[in-house]
Amino acid sequence: MMSELNLTAALPEVFLAAAGMILLMLGVFRGNKGTRLVLSLTVACFALAFIIVSVSMGRSEVALGGLFIADAFGDFMKLLVLAGSAVTLIMAMRYIEREDMARFEYPVLVLFATLGMLLMISANDMLALYLGLELQSLSLYVVAAFRRDHLRSSEAGLKYFVLGALSSGMLLYGMSMIYGFAGTTSFAGLAAQFSAGQPASLGLIVGIVFLSAGLAFKISAVPFHMWTPDVYEGAPTPVTAFFATAPKVAAMALIVRVMVGPFGELVEQWQQIIWFVSVASMILGALAAISQTNIKRLMAYSSIGHVGYALIGLAAGTQEGVNGILLYLTIYIVMNLGTFACILCMRQKEVMVERIEDLKGLSKTNPPMALALAIFMFSMAGIPPLVGFFGKFYIFLAAIEAELYVLAVIGVLTSVIGAFYYVRIIKLMYFDDPIEAFDRPIGREMSAILVATSLTIVLLSVGIAYLLDGTAMAAASLFPG
Amino acid sequence: MDQLIVLLPLLGAIIAGFFGRLIGDRGAMYVSSGLLLISMVLSCIVFYDVAFAHNARVTEVFTWIDSGSFEVSWALKVDTLTAVMLIVVTGVSSMVHVYSIGYMSHDPYKPRFFAYLSLFTFFMLMLVTADNFVQMFFGWEGVGLASYLLIGFWYERPSACAAAIKAFLVNRVGDIGFALGICGAFVLFGTAGFDQVFASVPGMADAQFEAFGISGHALTIICILLFIGAMGKSAQLGLHTWLPDAMEGPTPVSALIHAATMVTAGVFMVARLSPMFEYAPTALELVTYVGALTAFFAASVGLTQNDIKRVIAYSTCSQLGYMFFALGVSAYSAGIFHLMTHAFFKALLFLGAGSVIHAMSDEQDMRKMGGIYKMIPGTYLLMWIGTIALLGVGIPGVFGFAGFYSKDIVVEAAYASHSTHGTFAFVMGVVAAFMTAFYSCRLMFMTFHGTPRASKEVMSHVHESPQVMLVPLYVLAFGAVFAGLAAYEYFVGQHMEEFWGEALKVLPENNSVEAAHHVPLWVKLSPLVAGLGGIGLAYVFYIASPALPAKTAKALRPLYLFSLNKWYFDELYDRVFVRPARVLGFGLWKGGDGAVIDRLGPDGIAATTQNASRRTSLLQSGYVYHYAFAMLIGVFVLVTWYFLSQLG
């Protein structure tokens, strides 16, 4: 079993890897004129991979000699990642042409990053984890600095790279300690050891601390979040949208799998780390966002806060908690895609604007967009009956059931503070006088994304039960027996 | 039909209020006036049906509240008492509607005005047709609202807004009493329906309320509380201060609400609840004293006022006092009789005064009028009819104006009750009749006779009002002349028993109206003589020797000032209630709410959050090594935490 290759289990990854090579070749031969073609084909590849994953949903197989696992949890996360990558690529299409960064490498890099994410999600061994993570990260470093003639963009890429390298170092150090104390890098092997009742040595716990610090960097949890606002602000907006969605989901999936899988028996130990990181993220995300004037920075802090909420589910360490995380991430990704679509429409006289003030009076100059953004903001703030409320609700419910009362109370308090800056955007749009209208038209694909995401939010608010079926199945696959 | 009478004004209000723009000013005026005229015609039919064909009834419309043992329906109770009120309300209201078409012709907000007028009429009809306490309270509060809206109709004037708020607040004091009384009745009887309550009153005649170790006669407490409500609405001594100020509203409003109908709601309420008051003699005594004092007090203030509408307002207040002391001596029918005749002649006087004001280019001060009787003969004549009706002039046994019959029976009943409070009321009533005659004639002489004191420009504009304003006056004048004679036998005379049916209840030993027919002749003549004396004195003061008033005022300066300043009630209330309340409110606002709750609560938390927010953003320095340092610190803290927790 261990020696089997079983490539069919990794069919989506294999397909994307092969497609990536072919698209790269295509790009090389067609040059930058073929960017649109390559981009469209990449989206098509994502769509195809999406279909493959959803068709094979429900399986549970191990492949590549035990390094790779395909289960319902992973498949659910992969669907989110693929959807996020595809939509952000579509959003980027016009932007990269307009802003003079239409090079065919962009979609290909996004494709390789996505491939890395899929591998992360399916990692069943420390080394597989690391390989997937690095494939993703290296692609992201390049994408962040994609406008290399642009100071902010290259600064963002460089910062991300330096700090990412540091976090990778911590990650590797943690892994080596774990290997040194446990004697194996396989998740299954580690889980078997701890379930046998072997107490965790202090060295191993230090290893786990380092490992989780490295992973926390990827999900931008406090105190490993410092790169986030700068990179979000500096990177080109479609890249920011991409950063805020797919990689977040993938990294969150990874941290859940690592914590619940091999170290599931040590929940008492790592719960404290997650608790601390979660509280710090929620508080910082809520407080720091209030004084932001740039909407991309605001979204950075918003995402830090959201990660904090999602981590509550992990701190609970239960199946309900993981279920809450899956639900939360699904809602989060839809809200974020919609919000970034709005941000990408913030153009005045052919120039992108990013100040929150620029949204003033949007309800008068562009009522549909204002309505969509209002839906996203209300949902992010967690105001019922919109679906964002249910996301928080199930997370807090899991925390209460796991008797993490303090965590739940802090979560509720910070979401009150957080509501301030979300609702302020609505106030600006609906109660202030417009200064200058945004350029129109915003493009057909943008309109479609806005309609689709806001409709999804509204429909999910009504049909939350259907989503809960899916997440429950995915969460159950992580907790055998 | 009963439902139609009540709902047509509401329909008019809705049409004029919400669709006024659609159908235009004219449409709004004609529709609401037309609907009220229909309502008035229907009222006449109902009146005949109920009072003469004896078809008193209760029409249930639908169940309103059904909560546990508490059930209240919308039901229209129509007996003779209600039928009389229906005639009075729809009659005066329809006349006022028609009059307003002319009076408000220069106002830009006609639909709003007519909507309010019709809305008021609806609430007033709701009040008089109520068959339970809750519905009566609904109408009661509704007329209060309409009164507020109409007093403040010209909301650009600060004085009108102040008067509206004052009326509302003073009425609130009374309404608390009324609401408590209703609650008390519900506690005692377990129901809010009039018929059920009245049926069980005799059985509860000796019931006691106990609270905090003090016990009291339950019916007396309830009746006094209810009477406090009536005092507020009917501007009785103590809670009267809002009525003169309410003259800030347009004059037709004063005629309709503050003379003929709403202010008599208290009288109606006590008469309606006569089966309860009859078993609460102490409450009745209180009613008599308050009524008699009000009659005297308001008349004495009326002597010196200079604003034509305020004189009539105090006159109204005084006449309401008469009605109340009639109720207090169990002469309910006499009280309602006076209510009815008063509605005619007081509405006539107000509308006549409105006509004068209209003619004098909106001047209300009588000191700037005079010598205009030849220019507006129609109004002049009508005003005299109203005045004579108010004074109660007539030849006993032959003919008299409306007030002659009603005021006399009230005064006689007070005498005939042969009790201390009755005698007190009798004396006060006769003295007030003297003063009434004086100030009424003073008003007429100052306004119409003597040398013109207005500017030439105003005098050149003096003109008779259009027919649309005069015709309603003719109708009311007809009532002021003949209503007393026509209704006397039915209301308080031989046919009294069958006319009223079950509507009013008087215990046999309290039947003062019957006894009033057998009082000595000097008692019968005393109000008339007092009235004639007052007329004569006014003639001497204002026609024969115009210098005399000033000299008298000088000689009796303290008394004059006391009267002119309305017994200093407003100043007293200002000192005792208004200012301390303001100080307390200001202190709680600034000190309690602002300094403590806001500063420590919302503002404080918000400021702390913002402060924290600014600090956290400062962490974001932009330097990579700071960021890396933060990460390392994080790992360091976590590792240390585990080391310490594992070791310790």
Side-chain angles (χ1 to χ4, degrees), chain B residues 16 33 229 337 413 539 553 557 609 644:
Chain B
S33 305
F337 185 33
Y539 183 80
R557 187 162 177 77
T609 310
L644 290 179

Side-chain angles (χ1 to χ4, degrees), chain B residues 500-528:
Chain B
W500 289 111
E502 299 285 311
L504 299 176
K505 168 149 185 172
V506 182
L507 292 180
E509 64 268 26
N510 287 354
N511 199 340
S512 54
V513 175
E514 184 55 38
H517 295 300
H518 311 294
V519 292
L521 187 64
W522 69 269
V523 173
K524 279 184 188 288
L525 286 180
S526 55
L528 183 62

Side-chain angles (χ1 to χ4, degrees), chain A residues 159 162-163 166 170 202 205 209-210 213 217 223-224 226 229-230 269-270 272-273 287-288 290-291 297 301 417, chain B residues 609-610 612-614 616-617 619-620 622-624 626-628 630-632 634-635 638-639 641-643 645-646:
Chain A
K159 269 182 185 168
V162 171
L163 295 172
L166 180 63
M170 288 184 185
L202 190 59
I205 292 174
V209 171
F210 273 91
F217 175 85
F224 311 102
M226 302 292 263
D230 291 4
Q269 310 293 331
W270 55 257
Q272 299 164 47
I273 309 176
L287 287 180
I290 289 177
S291 51
R297 277 188 96 84
Y301 284 109
I417 300 174
Chain B
T609 310
Q610 281 217 313
S613 163
R614 223 177 16 254
T616 42
S617 348
L619 291 177
Q620 205 69 31
Y623 294 114
V624 173
H626 283 171
Y627 297 179
M631 288 168 67
L632 290 175
V635 172
L638 286 172
V639 170
W641 164 259
Y642 278 103
F643 266 100
S645 62
Q646 292 281 316

Side-chain angles (χ1 to χ4, degrees), chain B residues 263-529:
Chain B
V263 288
T264 61
V267 179
F268 167 79
M269 188 252 276
V270 175
R272 164 63 77 214
L273 302 178
S274 56
M276 290 170 72
F277 277 83
E278 276 301 284
Y279 290 93
T282 318
L284 279 179
E285 259 178 61
L286 181 74
V287 173
T288 316
Y289 283 121
V290 170
L293 280 173
T294 307
F296 175 80
F297 152 79
S300 73
V301 174
L303 295 176
T304 55
Q305 299 304 306
N306 291 317
D307 183 311
I308 185 167
K309 284 180 73 183
R310 279 182 183 250
V311 174
I312 307 179
Y314 277 106
S315 165
T316 304
C317 194
S318 169
Q319 297 300 313
L320 288 166
Y322 277 90
M323 294 174 211
F324 271 106
F325 75 66
L327 301 174
V329 297
S330 297
Y332 303 105
S333 54
I336 296 296
F337 185 33
H338 195 53
L339 185 163
M340 191 267 291
T341 58
H342 173 258
F344 284 111
F345 58 68
K346 193 50 65 67
L348 174 62
L349 278 174
F350 258 121
L351 295 183
S355 184
V356 171
I357 294 165
H358 202 63
M360 299 295 291
S361 315
D362 291 332
E363 180 58 63
Q364 302 197 8
D365 193 332
M366 295 193 294
R367 286 169 298 186
K368 294 181 184 157
M369 297 180 183
I372 54 171
Y373 67 97
K374 278 183 195 150
M375 297 154 136
I376 46 173
T379 306
Y380 177 61
L381 183 71
L382 289 164
M383 286 285 281
W384 263 122
I385 292 175
T387 305
I388 292 173
L390 168 63
L391 304 189
V393 174
I395 306 161
V398 184
F399 174 76
F401 283 70
F404 172 72
Y405 295 99
S406 59
K407 191 193 272 183
D408 281 13
I409 191 75
V410 166
V411 174
E412 287 156 18
Y415 178 84
S417 78
H418 294 296
S419 54
T420 324
H421 57 273
T423 315
F424 176 76
F426 169 70
V427 175
M428 285 294 152
V430 173
V431 175
F434 173 76
M435 293 193 284
T436 305
F438 179 82
Y439 69 67
S440 300
C441 292
R442 171 176 174 266
L443 183 152
M444 292 304 292
F445 295 146
M446 279 181 83
T447 308
F448 292 103
H449 294 272
T451 48
R453 293 179 295 274
S455 66
K456 279 225 173 72
E457 200 194 336
V458 171
M459 288 306 284
S460 65
H461 281 137
V462 173
H463 58 284
E464 188 59 276
S465 299
Q467 283 300 318
V468 69
M469 285 168 71
L470 287 179
V471 169
L473 293 185
Y474 296 143
V475 176
L476 292 171
F478 184 81
V481 175
F482 295 107
L485 179 68
Y488 183 77
E489 291 298 333
Y490 294 104
F491 274 69
V492 292
Q494 292 164 13
H495 307 300
M496 193 170 103
E497 301 268 310
E498 53 178 315
F499 178 77
W500 289 111
E502 299 285 311
L504 299 176
K505 168 149 185 172
V506 182
L507 292 180
E509 64 268 26
N510 287 354
N511 199 340
S512 54
V513 175
E514 184 55 38
H517 295 300
H518 311 294
V519 292
L521 187 64
W522 69 269
V523 173
K524 279 184 188 288
L525 286 180
S526 55
L528 183 62
V529 173

Side-chain angles (χ1 to χ4, degrees), chain A residues 13 16 46 68 74 77-78 80-86 88 109-123 128-129 131-137 139-140 143 160 239 241-254 257 333:
Chain A
E13 288 79 5
L16 276 185
F46 286 150
F68 183 96
M77 289 299 201
K78 283 177 192 171
L80 293 185
V81 166
L82 286 168
S85 300
T88 45
L109 279 168
V110 171
L111 188 141
F112 280 119
T114 310
L115 177 60
M117 293 174 211
L118 299 192
L119 289 171
M120 277 157 70
I121 293 172
S122 276
L129 180 159
L131 283 176
L133 196 65
E134 283 307 295
L135 177 55
Q136 178 225 229
S137 299
S139 311
L140 291 185
V143 173
Y160 190 31
V239 175
F242 180 54
F243 276 25
T245 49
K248 278 274 153 60
V249 173
M252 191 55 99
L254 185 60
R257 190 185 287 285
I333 205 167

